[in-house]
């Protein structure tokens, strides 16, 4: 298990101050400083404990169902003229990659002596994954969710409640993901001693981006092993993932960051079009700023107010982007594309008919750009299928082509 | 001693009343009338909030005042326009409080220059990390004669309080409890913390904030410090005011 390896000094990894290039850091008010400092000081040491690694590995195997398959998608490959593999995070318990991180963080919270867990959620996937591990570990669980998202994502709200979580509506601001995150941070300020905040994406103050990335890095660790078995080479030519905050992407890229032969492709949500005013394509629309205590690219007004992003997929409508990804964008290590709502929907219907897999709308964004990458027929391509589409059935049915 | 904050603390050691108000609230052009009323009715210091869309350290009342101010059209450019020439009427020290993002986008140096130009004396930027301030911005703030005021909380270690004291100018903002603004945590439990701060004999004066809202809490805060900061209770007092001046007068007489 490589989650605890020393990466200090390696390019594209967090530095000792918590930065990726000029992005990252911990811009927290003093009220949060002791909590964040405790995490900064202890996360690596806890991740390195053999008992931690053993428990993490065992739960990922027996509870989550890892390793997730690396599936050679034959018909999709024929269509796009490359050797395309799907990393099946959709087959994890709770239906997405989110659970890799919540398992890791709840084990960490226990070792920090915390008794209460809080989390934010947008579409509800991270909320469900958090409520799940809280049930498993018998911990109190409070999930903050934008009031508008609570209405849009009723089945996931019901799941969280059935799992024993308290779901609190974030009624401030735009009442969606960023506000849920604000409310979770405010809860943490008010409950600094007994509470751990399980942040769901590779964003927020240092050490969250690195910590979440390490827990998700099991994805690329497995890809390398599985590819080697299947092709004789652990490195593909391309890794492709969708990005909102960027946790599945960070996990998919992690062990390839310093493998220059592997091209990194990130797909953001263009919504109704990058320049339509209804988009979440942060690298194209954002400027340097601070969101949820991290310095990164951020969609904001000329006055520095954070703007509300839009995407058909509730998991990608984040106005910022994890600092690792901002750095990959700025250095050119990653190629950033953007898929519109319509392109993502078309890709979801296509995968369903070609391979019999209904993908989450988020993952569909990654699939939607396969036609725009200049593949050679021998190119090996790994796409992270970060989640399954059950939660999106209402949207899929509403938009069915040629009914 | 040209900074008005230093002048204030040199001449007055106890019972200092610092009142927070969000700029552009309740209406866009209320910024100056509120400030004038505050000075006239006995505030010693004015803390003017630069509204931000995502104020992490604030409770619902100040959040809503920010949202309303932004809707009214408030932003840094508008604020500096409003503040042009305000020193003709207002002599008490004025501090701008806000989050780092709008200031970064405006440009730290341009922002400091504007502050100095209009006559602002100090800044509170709760999400500006101490080391980043020290390494990147301190020289700029000092060049423009602006005092940066740091926060300490009951969870802040003594070593860190010492470091904050060495970097702070003007005064130290002691948050009374681990909370967002406007939370009703009982200040009575904080006695030990206030006494600890007193014993540290810091070089900076100390003002206590969070949870101060009336005569009793103001007196309790003043007993262990140079004075107190009131925000949420004041926002509540003026949010629906028909006459700003009367509302401010009534509020201050309910505290002092």
């Amino acid at each position: 298990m490589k989650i605890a390896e020393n990466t200090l000094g390696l390019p594209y990894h967090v530095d000792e101050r918590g930065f990726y290039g000029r992005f990252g850091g911990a811009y927290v008010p003093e009220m949060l400083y002791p909590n964040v400092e405790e995490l900064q000081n202890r996360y690596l040491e806890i991740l390195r404990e053999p008992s931690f690694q053993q428990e993490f590995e065992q739960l990922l195997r027996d509870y989550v169902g890892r390793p997730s398959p690396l599936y050679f998608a034959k018909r999709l490959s024929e269509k796009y003229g490359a050797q395309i593999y799907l990393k099946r995070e959709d087959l994890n318990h709770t239906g997405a990659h989110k659970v890799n991180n919540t398992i890791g963080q709840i084990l960490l919270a226990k070792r920090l002596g915390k008794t209460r867990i809080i989390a934010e959620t947008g579409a509800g996937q991270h909320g469900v994954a958090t409520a799940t591990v809280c049930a498993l570990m018998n911990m109190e669980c409070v999930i903050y969710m934008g009031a508008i998202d609570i209405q849009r994502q009723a089945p996931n709200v019901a799941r969280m409640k059935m799992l024993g979580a308290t779901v609190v509506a974030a009624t401030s601001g735009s009442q969606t993901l960023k506000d849920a995150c604000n409310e979770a941070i405010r809860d943490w300020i008010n409950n600094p001693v007994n509470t751990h905040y399980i942040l769901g994406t590779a964003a927020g103050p240092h050490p969250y981006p690195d910590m979440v990335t390490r827990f998700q890095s099991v994805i690329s660790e497995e890809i390398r092993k599985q590819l080697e078995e299947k092709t004789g080479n652990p490195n593909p030519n391309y890794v492709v993932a969708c990005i909102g905050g960027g946790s599945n992407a960070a996990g998919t890229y992690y062990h390839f960051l310093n493998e220059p032969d592997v091209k990194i492709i990130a797909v953001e949500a263009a919504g109704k079009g990058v320049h339509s005013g209804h988009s979440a394509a942060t690298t194209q629309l954002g400027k340097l700023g601070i969101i949820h205590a991290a310095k990164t690219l951020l969609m904001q007004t000329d006055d520095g107010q954070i703007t509300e992003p839009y995407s058909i997929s509730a998991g990608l409508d984040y106005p910022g982007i994890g600092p690792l990804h901002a750095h990959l964008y700025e250095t050119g290590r990653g190629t950033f594309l953007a898929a519109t709502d319509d392109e993502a929907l078309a890709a979801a219907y296509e995968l369903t008919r070609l391979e019999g897999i209904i993908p989450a709308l988020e993952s569909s964004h990654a699939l939607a750009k396969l036609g725009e990458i200049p593949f050679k027929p021998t190119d090996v391509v790994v796409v992270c299928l970060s989640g399954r589409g059950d939660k999106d059935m209402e949207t899929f049915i509403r938009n069915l082509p040629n009914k | 001693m040209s900074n008005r904050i230093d002048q204030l603390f040199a001449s007055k050691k106890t019972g200092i009343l610092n009142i927070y108000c969000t700029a552009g609230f309740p209406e866009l052009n209320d910024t100056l009338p509120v400030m004038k009323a505050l000075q006239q009715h006995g505030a010693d210091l004015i803390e003017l909030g630069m509204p931000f869309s995502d104020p992490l350290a604030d409770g619902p009342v100040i959040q809503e005042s920010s949202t309303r101010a932004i809707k009214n059209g408030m932003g840094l450019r508008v604020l500096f326009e409003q503040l042009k020439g305000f020193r003709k009427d207002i002599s008490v020290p004025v501090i701008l409080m806000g989050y780092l993002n709008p200031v970064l986008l405006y440009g730290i140096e341009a922002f400091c220059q504007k502050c100095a130009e209009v006559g602002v004396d100090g800044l509170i930027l709760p999400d500006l990390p101490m080391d980043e301030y020290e390494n990147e911005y301190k020289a700029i703030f000092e060049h423009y004669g602006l005092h940066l005021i740091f926060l300490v909380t009951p969870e802040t270690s003594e070593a860190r309080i010492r470091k904050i004291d060495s970097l702070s100018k003007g005064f130290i903002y002691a948050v009374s409890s681990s909370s967002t603004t406007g939370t009703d945590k009982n200040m009575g439990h904080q006695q030990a913390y206030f006494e600890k701060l007193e014993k540290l004999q810091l070089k900076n004066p100390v003002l206590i904030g969070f949870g101060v809202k009336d005569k009793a809490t103001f007196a309790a805060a003043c007993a262990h410090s140079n004075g107190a900061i009131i925000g949420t209770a004041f926002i509540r007092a003026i949010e629906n005011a028909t006459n700003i001046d009367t509302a401010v007068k009534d509020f201050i007489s309910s505290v002092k």
Side-chain angles (χ1 to χ4, degrees):
Chain A
M1 191 106 292
K2 294 177 179 167
I3 58 164
E5 65 190 352
N6 183 4
T7 55
L8 266 190
L10 286 179
Y12 312 115
H13 286 271
V14 79
D15 67 20
E16 65 283 353
R17 294 162 47 247
F19 280 81
Y20 301 85
R22 61 180 180 136
F23 305 109
Y27 295 81
V28 294
E30 189 62 29
M31 292 77 91
L32 267 188
Y33 184 84
N35 291 34
V36 168
E37 187 191 33
E38 180 184 34
L39 273 183
Q40 289 174 355
N41 290 341
R42 299 211 44 207
Y43 82 110
L44 282 178
E45 137 204 340
I46 291 175
L47 263 58
R48 286 184 181 131
E49 286 171 14
S51 73
F52 179 93
Q53 297 201 6
Q54 196 188 0
E55 206 176 345
F56 183 59
E57 240 170 299
Q58 185 238 322
L59 283 170
L60 287 185
R61 187 183 65 232
D62 300 341
Y63 187 71
V64 174
R66 302 204 73 94
S68 67
L70 185 71
Y71 165 69
F72 176 66
K74 185 162 173 283
R75 295 184 65 203
L76 195 68
S77 296
E78 280 163 10
K79 163 110 203 226
Y80 291 105
Q83 310 298 307
I84 300 175
Y85 292 83
L86 302 176
K87 182 58 175 164
R88 299 291 307 275
E89 295 299 302
D90 59 317
L91 294 177
N92 291 340
H93 180 41
T94 71
H97 70 290
K98 291 290 186 190
V99 71
N100 303 329
N101 170 48
T102 60
I103 295 260
Q105 285 205 46
I106 200 144
L107 295 179
L108 181 105
K110 271 173 60 181
R111 281 162 176 80
L112 291 170
K114 307 288 182 176
T115 56
R116 179 174 176 270
I117 297 294
I118 55 171
E120 85 297 339
T121 196
Q125 288 306 103
H126 175 58
V128 168
T130 303
T132 297
V133 297
C134 287
L136 179 69
M137 298 293 169
N138 192 25
M139 291 253 237
E140 185 188 348
C141 179
V142 178
I143 306 289
Y144 289 91
M145 189 169 184
I148 290 174
D149 287 336
I150 286 183
Q151 289 168 8
R152 291 197 289 203
Q153 309 286 339
N156 272 343
V157 175
R159 276 186 197 106
M160 289 184 265
K161 288 184 175 164
M162 184 167 171
L163 288 159
T166 306
V167 180
V168 180
T171 53
S172 60
S174 49
Q175 309 188 0
T176 59
L177 177 58
K178 87 172 166 71
D179 309 286
C181 202
N182 290 343
E183 287 306 324
I185 291 173
R186 289 180 186 124
D187 179 308
W188 210 21
I189 289 174
N190 283 289
N191 299 284
V193 180
N194 68 344
T195 298
H196 175 69
Y197 175 22
I198 299 190
L199 211 160
T201 192
H206 175 62
Y208 279 103
D210 184 52
M211 182 167 72
V212 173
T213 298
R214 283 171 183 271
F215 290 141
Q216 294 294 358
S217 73
V218 63
I219 299 174
S220 56
E221 193 181 339
E222 288 175 6
I223 292 173
R224 286 177 65 87
K225 238 181 258 166
Q226 292 164 321
L227 262 191
E228 176 135 49
E229 281 165 19
K230 288 175 201 290
T231 69
N233 182 350
N235 286 348
N237 299 92
Y238 292 89
V239 282
V240 185
C242 65
I243 290 199
S247 68
N248 92 83
T252 303
Y253 305 156
Y254 189 81
H255 290 287
F256 302 113
L257 289 171
N258 287 297
E259 299 286 345
D261 296 344
V262 182
K263 295 185 186 72
I264 289 174
I265 309 282
V267 185
E268 295 181 293
K272 294 178 178 166
V274 170
H275 299 290
S276 65
H278 302 278
S279 172
T282 304
T283 57
Q284 301 203 37
L285 299 170
K287 283 178 278 199
L288 187 70
I290 292 167
I291 181 168
H292 301 132
K295 195 182 261 183
T296 186
L297 295 170
L298 169 62
M299 292 167 58
Q300 52 186 315
T301 66
D302 292 342
D303 266 332
Q305 311 295 352
I306 299 176
T307 51
E308 185 54 21
Y310 164 82
S311 163
I312 192 170
S313 106
L316 297 182
D317 61 354
Y318 187 64
I321 184 169
L324 162 64
H325 300 301
H327 185 54
L328 294 178
Y329 172 74
E330 196 170 70
T331 56
R333 176 67 186 96
T335 301
F336 282 67
L337 307 172
T340 63
D341 290 355
D342 290 346
E343 290 170 333
L345 280 169
Y349 296 125
E350 181 182 84
L351 186 75
T352 305
R353 291 303 179 89
L354 284 180
E355 301 288 350
I357 298 170
I358 301 178
L361 267 171
E362 289 77 10
S363 324
S364 306
H365 284 73
L367 296 163
K369 293 284 118 170
L370 291 175
E372 291 180 21
I373 305 168
F375 296 131
K376 293 198 294 279
T378 52
D379 279 344
V380 172
V381 179
V382 176
V383 182
C384 183
L385 201 66
S386 56
R388 59 177 171 246
D390 306 33
K391 68 182 177 59
D392 300 312
M393 283 316 296
E394 207 189 304
T395 310
F396 289 145
I397 291 164
R398 204 170 48 236
N399 292 284
L400 263 184
N402 317 318
K403 270 175 243 187
Chain B
M1 195 190 288
S2 62
N3 190 296
R4 292 177 195 87
I5 303 171
D6 297 333
Q7 290 166 14
L8 170 68
F9 285 101
S11 62
K12 190 170 176 181
K13 305 286 181 202
T14 58
I16 288 174
L17 176 63
N18 176 354
I19 294 208
Y20 166 93
C21 186
T22 306
F25 176 85
E27 302 303 329
L28 181 63
N29 292 314
D30 283 339
T31 314
L32 282 180
V34 169
M35 292 169 76
K36 282 181 201 166
L38 282 171
Q39 167 169 287
Q40 189 188 339
H41 298 298
D44 299 299
L45 241 159
I46 296 170
E47 186 184 324
L48 202 54
M50 306 177 278
F52 181 48
S53 55
D54 295 71
L56 287 182
D58 286 302
V61 173
I62 292 182
Q63 283 172 44
E64 275 159 34
S65 75
S66 294
T67 306
R68 184 161 158 190
I70 292 166
K71 272 200 193 121
N72 289 343
M74 182 47 70
L76 283 182
R77 274 172 281 242
V78 173
L79 178 60
F80 285 129
E81 273 307 306
Q82 288 186 349
L83 291 181
K84 230 180 233 173
F86 86 97
R87 281 295 172 203
K88 285 191 308 233
D89 304 305
I90 290 165
S91 56
V92 298
V94 171
I95 292 162
L96 295 187
M97 182 273 166
Y99 294 81
L100 191 54
N101 191 61
V103 176
L104 268 188
L105 191 69
Y106 195 92
I108 296 277
E109 173 123 33
F111 174 80
C112 289
Q113 190 179 356
K114 268 285 176 200
C115 285
E117 204 175 290
V118 298
V120 166
D121 306 287
L123 298 165
I124 301 176
L125 298 166
D127 56 349
L128 171 58
M130 206 163 50
D131 55 346
E132 186 158 324
Y133 170 70
E134 191 175 11
N135 298 328
E136 294 179 36
Y137 305 133
K138 188 165 174 274
I140 302 172
F141 281 51
E142 286 178 354
H143 174 75
Y144 291 100
L146 296 166
H147 286 359
L148 185 69
I149 291 127
F150 284 95
L151 276 58
V152 302
T153 81
E155 311 291 330
T156 310
S157 68
E158 181 176 336
R160 191 168 161 85
I161 294 175
R162 296 272 179 218
K163 171 91 180 162
I164 285 170
D165 190 39
S166 75
L167 274 182
S168 278
K169 281 194 164 182
F171 64 92
I172 285 176
Y173 188 145
V175 174
S176 64
S177 62
S178 300
S179 70
T180 43
T181 53
T183 313
D184 242 344
K185 287 194 181 173
N186 189 349
M187 279 213 334
H189 296 304
Q190 306 305 330
Q191 211 65 3
Y193 160 61
F194 293 156
E195 282 164 17
K196 176 182 119 182
L197 280 179
E198 236 181 334
K199 278 200 198 112
L200 289 177
Q201 302 272 320
L202 302 175
K203 82 172 167 67
N204 283 288
V206 173
L207 297 185
I208 290 173
F210 286 35
V212 186
K213 58 186 174 191
D214 51 25
K215 267 201 173 69
T217 47
F218 183 64
C222 289
H224 296 282
S225 69
N226 304 84
I229 303 165
I230 301 180
T232 298
F234 179 71
I235 295 286
R236 278 210 181 97
I238 64 163
E239 64 188 346
N240 298 314
T242 44
N243 183 318
I244 292 282
D245 190 70
T246 317
V248 172
K249 184 177 173 203
D250 291 348
F251 181 78
I252 292 184
S253 61
S254 79
V255 175
K256 297 224 281 195

